[in-house]
């Protein structure tokens, strides 16, 4: 069983978080520039077993 990877997409950078092995706690992982995300994920998926990807919906503080 793999971990969950959280992706928080922004205009300039993408924040990544990952769960522990038992999928109880999520911790910050990296912040990656948008232009580097695909090469980062390609290398990352070779090292980690990811069961599910959760993508955040980008919103502002006023919920727009």
């Amino acid at each position: 069983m793999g971990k969950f990877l959280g992706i928080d997409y922004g205009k300039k950078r993408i924040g990544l978080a990952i769960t522990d092995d038992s999928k109880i706690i999520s911790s910050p992982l990296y912040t990656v520039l948008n232009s580097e995300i695909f090469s980062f994920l390609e290398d990352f998926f070779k090292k980690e077993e990811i069961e599910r990807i959760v993508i955040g919906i980008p919103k502002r503080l006023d919920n727009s």
Side-chain angles (χ1 to χ4, degrees):
M1 298 286 283
K3 300 176 181 179
F4 288 5
L5 176 68
I7 298 178
D8 186 18
Y9 185 83
K11 288 183 179 181
K12 295 180 183 179
R13 290 177 296 278
I14 297 172
L16 301 169
I18 194 165
T19 63
D20 59 347
D21 290 330
S22 54
K23 299 179 203 82
I24 295 174
I25 298 173
S26 177
S27 302
L29 183 62
Y30 296 107
T31 302
V32 181
L33 292 173
N34 290 9
S35 61
E36 300 172 359
I37 189 64
F38 292 112
S39 61
F40 175 85
L41 288 176
E42 184 178 1
D43 293 336
F44 183 73
F45 290 147
K46 291 176 184 175
K47 299 174 190 170
E48 291 282 346
E49 183 180 344
I50 301 298
E51 178 181 333
R52 187 168 298 171
I53 298 173
V54 179
I55 300 176
I57 299 172
K59 293 192 175 189
R60 296 183 180 175
L61 293 176
D62 64 359
N63 210 25
S64 62

